[in-house]
Each structure stands twice: as structure tokens, then as C-alpha cells.
């Protein structure tokens, strides 16, 4: 079974803090994705990566950066957390770029106070 | 531009059929997906359809695609309380998924 794990289920941070969200997949997938989920807005793509050390901006990259130093690990970084980044963050991975299933982690609910 | 729209809420009685609708705008979509999210969990793929198909059936699930109207639907036959969840449709464009807002399905006993 494919497993995508995220470092925390719940996280509370203060405004201005640097926040790291970690995602690890165990199926040797090339492709990894970070989304945020907000009620009434669905999932919005923040960043994605098709290979190690490679990253591409999604639809809402402002205020975020990512790191992919190893194939299995994709990190989302909030350089200076703000209250409007309070959200559910979902990581996903996939084997094929087009037409394949994206496997999702359980999500990290981040609250910025 | 890319946009996927769904109604936000659907309530049905146990045993009835549920139909969740979705419209999308980008005609270059290659695959269209239905994902399910149970409370406190990530998304799980339910089914998908290739853009040159009209219909796909998988046990209690039937997906209908009207490419001319850019309309996708998911029918769940004999809906059970365990089907209560949020259902997302998504279109695949150059490997990226564009998601709708999600439809919360409430199943009343």
C-alpha cells in the first residue's frame, strides 16, 4: 500500500514564525504536491515537484517555498507565518505525471495566531 | 481559465441514489476524477474517467461525462451512511489537478 505521511496532524504557530511541514512517501514516486484546503474553496495547488531538487509554482505560491532534497521527502516552508495561512495542508504523490492517481496524506491542520 | 464548480451540499436518505454534479471549463482536460474525503482524513481516489469516454461504471458508482457541456456527474446507487463524506471532482491538465470546492454528502438513516 502506498503511504504518504505528514509530520504533524495539528500545529499551532505564532505570526512571524518560520514553519516547516514535512511530507514523506514510501513508493518511490517521482511527483509530489502540496495543496491547501479551505471550506468552500476546495483544494488549491501551492507547489509541486516532478523530480529531486526540482520545483514548480502552483496556483497560490505566495508566502510559501518548498524543498525536495530527497525523492521521498517534500517540505513546505512558511518563511513568516501569517494568520491568513491558517488552513489544512495536504501533501500528495503520484507515480505518473498524467492520468495517474494522486495519493494523499492525512493532512496537517495549521493554526497561526 | 481553469475552473471546476460543484454544489456544496447534498442530502439523501439511506437506500436512495445520490447524484453529485460538477462542471469544468477547460476542454483540454485529459482525465477527470472523483475523490472522497472522510472526516479527519486525506483524499482517496474513488474513480476516474478518460476524456474520450461517456460513462464508466464501478459497482455502485456510475460516472457520466458530457464533454460538449463540460459536465461530469457521480451517481452512487443504494447510498449508505458510510458514504457520508465530501466528494471532490477534479480535472487533469498537463499533470496538475484542478479541484472543485467539494460537495458534502449527508446520508440520513
Amino acid at each position: 500500500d502506498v503511504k504518504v505521511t505528514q509530520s504533524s496532524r495539528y500545529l499551532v504557530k505564532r505570526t512571524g514564525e518560520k514553519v516547516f511541514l514535512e511530507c514523506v512517501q514510501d513508493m518511490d514516486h517521482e511527483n509530489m504536491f502540496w495543496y491547501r484546503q479551505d471550506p468552500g474553496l476546495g483544494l488549491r495547488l501551492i507547489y509541486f515537484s516532478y523530480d529531486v531538487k526540482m520545483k514548480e509554482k502552483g496556483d497560490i505560491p505566495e508566502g510559501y517555498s518548498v524543498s525536495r532534497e530527497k525523492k521521498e521527502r517534500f517540505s513546505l516552508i512558511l518563511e513568516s507565518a501569517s494568520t491568513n495561512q491558517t488552513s489544512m495542508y495536504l501533501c500528495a504523490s503520484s507515480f505518473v505525471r498524467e492520468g495517474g492517481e494522486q495519493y494523499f496524506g492525512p493532512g496537517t491542520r495549521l493554526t497561526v495566531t | 481559465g481553469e475552473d471546476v464548480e460543484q454544489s456544496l451540499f447534498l442530502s439523501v436518505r439511506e437506500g436512495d441514489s445520490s447524484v453529485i454534479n460538477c462542471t469544468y471549463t477547460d476542454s483540454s482536460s485529459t482525465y477527470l476524477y472523483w475523490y472522497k474525503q472522510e472526516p479527519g482524513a486525506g483524499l482517496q481516489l474513488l474513480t476516474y474517467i478518460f476524456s474520450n469516454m461517456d460513462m464508466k461504471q464501478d459497482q455502485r458508482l456510475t460516472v457520466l461525462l458530457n464533454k460538449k457541456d463540460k459536465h461530469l456527474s457521480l451517481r452512487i446507487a443504494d447510498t449508505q451512511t458510510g458514504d457520508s463524506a465530501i466528494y471532490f471532482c477534479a480535472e487533469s491538465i498537463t499533470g496538475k489537478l484542478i479541484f472543485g470546492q467539494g460537495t458534502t454528502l449527508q446520508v440520513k438513516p
Side-chain angles (χ1 to χ4, degrees):
Chain A
D1 265 0
V2 176
K3 194 152 188 187
V4 180
T5 55
Q6 295 184 230
S7 49
S8 307
R9 291 301 302 271
Y10 301 94
L11 210 51
V12 180
K13 295 291 181 180
R14 291 197 180 277
T15 301
E17 279 193 82
K18 190 169 185 174
V19 182
F20 292 87
L21 302 182
E22 305 284 340
C23 175
V24 177
Q25 49 92 6
D26 66 357
M27 280 301 290
D28 203 34
H29 285 171
E30 300 282 343
N31 313 303
M32 297 188 75
F33 308 83
W34 274 108
Y35 297 89
R36 65 177 280 177
Q37 181 182 5
D38 299 289
L41 296 177
L43 276 73
R44 292 178 291 166
L45 183 63
I46 305 171
Y47 266 97
F48 59 103
S49 169
Y50 288 146
D51 203 352
V52 175
K53 296 195 185 293
M54 176 268 175
K55 60 185 178 185
E56 286 198 37
K57 293 180 181 179
D59 299 318
I60 52 163
E62 297 78 18
Y64 304 94
S65 63
V66 290
S67 172
R68 187 141 182 230
E69 295 295 318
K70 292 185 177 181
K71 193 175 186 181
E72 67 271 18
R73 188 179 297 268
F74 193 33
S75 303
L76 181 69
I77 303 154
L78 287 66
E79 294 289 342
S80 176
S82 63
T83 54
N84 64 11
Q85 292 178 310
T86 291
S87 187
M88 171 71 88
Y89 289 88
L90 291 165
C91 174
S93 72
S94 70
F95 182 62
V96 294
R97 197 179 289 201
E98 187 73 47
E101 177 178 355
Q102 285 192 16
Y103 295 85
F104 282 82
T108 296
R109 183 163 293 282
L110 172 67
T111 302
V112 183
T113 60
Chain B
E2 309 148 348
D3 197 18
V4 179
E5 297 280 337
Q6 298 177 242
S7 54
L8 295 182
F9 187 77
L10 176 66
S11 181
V12 300
R13 293 226 170 263
E14 193 174 17
D16 287 350
S17 291
S18 308
V19 180
I20 302 172
N21 294 300
C22 172
T23 57
Y24 60 98
T25 55
D26 198 317
S27 56
S28 65
S29 303
T30 50
Y31 291 86
L32 294 124
Y33 300 83
W34 284 104
Y35 278 85
K36 177 183 180 182
Q37 185 181 35
E38 295 181 351
L43 276 68
Q44 180 183 9
L45 181 67
L46 271 182
T47 187
Y48 68 94
I49 188 167
F50 188 50
S51 58
N52 70 353
M53 296 170 65
D54 299 324
M55 186 180 97
K56 181 177 180 182
Q57 188 146 7
D58 185 1
Q59 299 182 345
R60 291 190 298 124
L61 304 178
T62 303
V63 178
L64 294 177
L65 175 60
N66 182 329
K67 202 169 180 185
K68 176 176 166 287
D69 294 339
K70 299 190 185 73
H71 183 266
L72 181 74
S73 68
L74 174 70
R75 179 176 179 270
I76 305 172
D78 187 25
T79 313
Q80 303 297 307
T81 54
D83 295 324
S84 294
I86 304 175
Y87 291 80
F88 291 92
C89 67
E91 58 174 344
S92 176
I93 300 169
T94 61
K96 295 193 303 180
L97 292 185
I98 311 298
F99 285 88
Q101 305 95 317
T103 299
T104 297
L105 176 64
Q106 179 190 67
V107 183
K108 295 179 182 176

